[in-house]
Amino acid sequence: MQSIRNLNDMIVFLQQRGDRKRVAVVCANDASTRYALEKGREMGFIEPIYVDGDDKDECARRAVALCKSGEADILMKGLINTDILLRAILDKENGILRPGHVLTHVAMAEIPKYEKLLFFTDAAVIPVPTEAQRRQQIHYVNYVCHALGIEEPRISLIHCAEKVSAKVFPYTVDYLEIIAEAQTGAFGRCIIDGPLDLKTSLDSVSLREKGIRSVIDGRADALIFPDIVAGNVFYKTLTLFGYAKTAGVLQGTQCCCVLPSRADSPDSKYYSLALAAI
Amino acid sequence: MQSIRNLNDMIVFLQQRGDRKRVAVVCANDASTRYALEKGREMGFIEPIYVDGDDKDECARRAVALCKSGEADILMKGLINTDILLRAILDKENGILRPGHVLTHVAMAEIPKYEKLLFFTDAAVIPVPTEAQRRQQIHYVNYVCHALGIEEPRISLIHCAEKVSAKVFPYTVDYLEIIAEAQTGAFGRCIIDGPLDLKTSLDSVSLREKGIRSVIDGRADALIFPDIVAGNVFYKTLTLFGYAKTAGVLQGTQCCCVLPSRADSPDSKYYSLALAAI
């Protein structure tokens, strides 16, 4: 498989594969969710299963049950409170969280000023990842990158500088341990480095001007943020000011979940569906 | 004074005022620092005082002494390690930190997709502000906004959401206290709200779509970040992907200090000088 460099390539890839994923969509009562689903259906890569009704809890449970039984491949949120759907997803007995896994968010962005797709985690779900959760985030982001044909993803562990700061930012010490583990193959095929700041992760000129050496060489495929605040700021700055197109999926579940924000653009919902269908 | 809406307005304002600030510049041995100084001199708003020599510590001390004695109005860093200059600035006996004040960084950005100048703190100096430091940051950013003619700055206290989260993010509780204090006039004339995320701070459409009400109404003049990581990610995303022009100054000292990063663009250094000269 050739590496997918932009969102259009991703759609073309899905069309050529010609495989329709079944999407259980909960309360698709808003124009942008309908748009995303109909466009995905027209392009030939999904088939929506509309789950609707007066009792939103009941709708959420039914959609999750379709995923659990294998009757649907993807779960998508429409006009329903995120909390309600998350409760159904995380339900111990009837939910779809994989045992021993953590629910986390992987986002993808096509940015005019960046040469390739950029993946990052976590802008939306885990507030402050534990060390174990951070390792799962790396596994997921690496998995998603590989699914898009990136053979050896360059994964940058984000901080505001390149120095380890044990006292104020203990996660920077964890970063060094992660790098050591990565070298033994613990995360599969990928290149991990950090702590790096955003600029030294994504711009080789800045990297050199700062006199820093990194195996990522300013060409990261994926960014791991230390907490949800930094990840969220990145995500929203990109969409507000960076002319970026974005997509996002949840990982850790038995099937891929698309839980867009109400304020996400129709196209962002469409691209998220496409990412889930990969 | 009319409010300054972009960087060009700021230069025009300085030219019309016709007042030259004396800039003590330490080791201006790189092209971009020279460019910024010469352009500022040509435009008529600064007069450089070059402080140079083999002993960089000695240069730093001399430049700081010029500021302390009133022979210079602005301190600027050239090709010298930031740590060396900071040591001279913070020196208990001969330094220029105002008693009882904290050193912090205020940045300013002109962003094509935002209708006015945007100020923010702290992307560069204080790792995790204490409650007292956060209040000083608000004072400084409010002061800088007023200096640029913004009569009632809208200041947003940044988080990843609009909910207070006492357990995981205690600063969100502090935000509510700050808002209460602001209503008694503790910060002078300004409008403060939070916690708000980046989008609800800067985009009134997103604010309404999320069903949130805020006195800032998606039109913030200034952002207070909870820590240096979030601030730094914002700053670097803007400059990498947002086509933004930026400037930055240190606050808390007897005179305004410009300490650019080596990787800052020549124009960013020039605009920082202009901001310091206001």
Side-chain angles (χ1 to χ4, degrees):
Chain A
M1 173 182 182
Q2 246 207 316
S3 155
I4 291 170
R5 308 282 291 184
N6 58 48
L7 294 169
N8 191 47
D9 281 2
M10 180 169 71
I11 304 297
V12 170
F13 169 80
L14 288 171
Q15 289 184 302
Q16 285 174 346
R17 198 177 61 184
D19 183 14
R20 276 184 196 271
K21 302 283 184 183
R22 298 155 303 168
V23 182
V25 54
V26 192
C27 308
N29 299 315
D30 59 312
S32 63
T33 304
R34 291 251 172 205
Y35 163 88
L37 288 161
E38 287 310 313
K39 194 161 170 189
R41 205 177 56 82
E42 272 169 35
M43 299 305 258
F45 61 83
I46 63 139
E47 193 57 57
I49 307 169
Y50 290 100
V51 181
D52 223 322
D54 291 333
D55 182 342
K56 300 220 164 179
D57 282 286
E58 167 61 21
C59 293
R61 280 194 297 269
R62 264 168 49 216
V64 167
L66 287 173
C67 293
K68 200 173 176 80
S69 66
E71 291 161 84
D73 308 299
I74 295 170
L75 180 70
M76 187 183 190
K77 175 177 108 75
L79 207 58
I80 177 175
N81 202 307
T82 303
D83 294 348
I84 295 177
L85 191 50
L86 278 181
R87 210 181 306 137
I89 291 172
L90 296 174
D91 185 271
K92 286 249 161 73
E93 206 167 323
N94 302 309
I96 49 171
L97 187 68
R98 280 177 207 266
H101 284 243
V102 64
L103 197 71
T104 185
H105 186 261
V106 173
M108 179 173 86
E110 179 183 306
I111 311 162
K113 280 193 87 171
Y114 200 57
E115 61 186 2
K116 53 186 172 180
L117 289 171
L118 183 62
F119 299 81
F120 54 99
T121 181
D122 177 336
V125 176
I126 303 177
V128 183
T130 63
E131 296 188 357
Q133 288 171 338
R134 182 168 297 119
R135 280 157 181 75
Q136 288 206 19
Q137 290 180 325
I138 295 171
H139 275 293
Y140 293 135
V141 91
N142 193 34
Y143 169 80
V144 174
C145 286
H146 278 278
L148 275 99
I150 305 166
E151 283 184 11
E152 194 167 44
R154 294 161 185 253
I155 302 174
S156 180
L157 308 171
I158 295 293
H159 184 46
C160 59
E162 286 71 36
K163 266 190 206 161
V164 168
S165 164
K167 222 166 136 188
V168 189
F169 299 109
Y171 62 78
T172 55
V173 177
D174 189 40
Y175 283 2
L176 298 188
E177 287 162 20
I178 287 170
I179 294 167
E181 288 163 32
Q183 281 158 357
T184 69
F187 297 99
R189 195 167 171 196
C190 62
I191 294 172
I192 303 187
D193 202 9
L196 289 165
D197 77 13
L198 207 75
K199 235 172 167 171
T200 48
S201 300
L202 300 173
D203 180 26
S204 56
V205 175
S206 297
L207 184 81
R208 274 182 265 285
E209 272 175 359
K210 258 189 152 177
I212 291 157
R213 295 170 83 81
S214 162
V215 283
I216 289 174
D217 195 30
R219 292 180 290 143
D221 294 290
L223 312 175
I224 308 291
F225 285 97
D227 63 31
I228 194 173
V229 184
N232 197 269
V233 163
F234 180 66
Y235 186 57
K236 287 173 177 164
T237 310
L238 277 187
T239 48
L240 270 177
F241 301 135
Y243 306 85
K245 293 177 187 168
T246 57
V249 290
L250 292 188
Q251 293 284 295
T253 45
Q254 281 167 34
C255 69
C256 207
C257 298
V258 181
L259 270 73
S261 302
R262 208 172 299 184
D264 280 345
S265 73
D267 272 330
S268 169
K269 293 181 186 182
Y270 167 65
Y271 290 124
S272 296
L273 260 183
L275 180 59
I278 282 279
Chain B
M1 173 183 182
Q2 247 207 314
S3 155
I4 291 170
R5 308 283 291 184
N6 57 49
L7 295 170
N8 191 47
D9 281 1
M10 179 169 71
I11 304 297
V12 170
F13 169 81
L14 288 171
Q15 288 184 304
Q16 286 173 347
R17 197 177 61 185
D19 182 15
R20 276 183 196 270
K21 303 283 184 182
R22 299 154 302 168
V23 182
V25 53
V26 192
C27 308
N29 299 315
D30 60 312
S32 63
T33 304
R34 291 251 172 205
Y35 163 89
L37 288 160
E38 287 310 313
K39 193 160 170 187
R41 205 176 57 80
E42 272 169 36
M43 300 305 260
F45 61 84
I46 63 139
E47 194 57 56
I49 307 169
Y50 291 100
V51 181
D52 224 322
D54 291 333
D55 183 342
K56 300 220 163 179
D57 282 286
E58 167 62 19
C59 292
R61 279 194 298 269
R62 266 168 47 215
V64 167
L66 287 171
C67 294
K68 200 175 177 78
S69 67
E71 291 163 84
D73 308 297
I74 295 169
L75 180 69
M76 187 182 190
K77 173 177 108 76
L79 206 58
I80 178 176
N81 202 307
T82 303
D83 294 348
I84 294 176
L85 190 51
L86 278 181
R87 211 182 306 138
I89 291 171
L90 296 174
D91 185 90
K92 285 247 160 75
E93 206 167 322
N94 303 307
I96 50 171
L97 187 68
R98 281 177 207 267
H101 283 243
V102 63
L103 196 70
T104 186
H105 186 262
V106 173
M108 180 174 84
E110 179 183 306
I111 311 163
K113 279 194 87 170
Y114 200 57
E115 61 187 4
K116 52 187 173 181
L117 289 171
L118 183 62
F119 299 81
F120 55 100
T121 181
D122 177 334
V125 176
I126 302 177
V128 183
T130 63
E131 295 187 359
Q133 289 171 338
R134 182 167 298 120
R135 280 157 180 75
Q136 288 207 20
Q137 291 179 326
I138 294 170
H139 275 293
Y140 293 134
V141 91
N142 193 32
Y143 169 80
V144 174
C145 285
H146 279 277
L148 275 100
I150 304 165
E151 284 184 11
E152 193 168 44
R154 294 161 185 252
I155 302 174
S156 179
L157 307 171
I158 296 293
H159 184 46
C160 59
E162 287 70 37
K163 266 190 206 162
V164 168
S165 165
K167 221 166 140 188
V168 188
F169 299 108
Y171 62 78
T172 55
V173 178
D174 190 39
Y175 283 1
L176 297 188
E177 288 162 18
I178 287 170
I179 293 167
E181 289 163 32
Q183 280 158 359
T184 70
F187 297 99
R189 194 165 171 199
C190 61
I191 294 172
I192 303 187
D193 201 10
L196 288 166
D197 77 13
L198 207 76
K199 237 174 167 170
T200 49
S201 300
L202 299 173
D203 180 27
S204 56
V205 175
S206 297
L207 185 80
R208 274 182 265 286
E209 274 176 355
K210 257 187 153 178
I212 291 157
R213 294 171 83 82
S214 163
V215 285
I216 289 174
D217 195 30
R219 292 180 290 141
D221 294 290
L223 311 175
I224 309 291
F225 284 98
D227 64 30
I228 195 174
V229 184
N232 196 270
V233 162
F234 180 66
Y235 186 56
K236 287 174 177 165
T237 309
L238 276 187
T239 49
L240 271 177
F241 301 136
Y243 306 84
K245 293 176 186 167
T246 57
V249 291
L250 293 188
Q251 293 285 296
T253 46
Q254 282 166 35
C255 69
C256 206
C257 298
V258 181
L259 271 74
S261 301
R262 208 173 298 186
D264 280 345
S265 72
D267 272 329
S268 168
K269 293 180 187 183
Y270 167 65
Y271 290 123
S272 296
L273 260 182
L275 179 60
I278 283 280

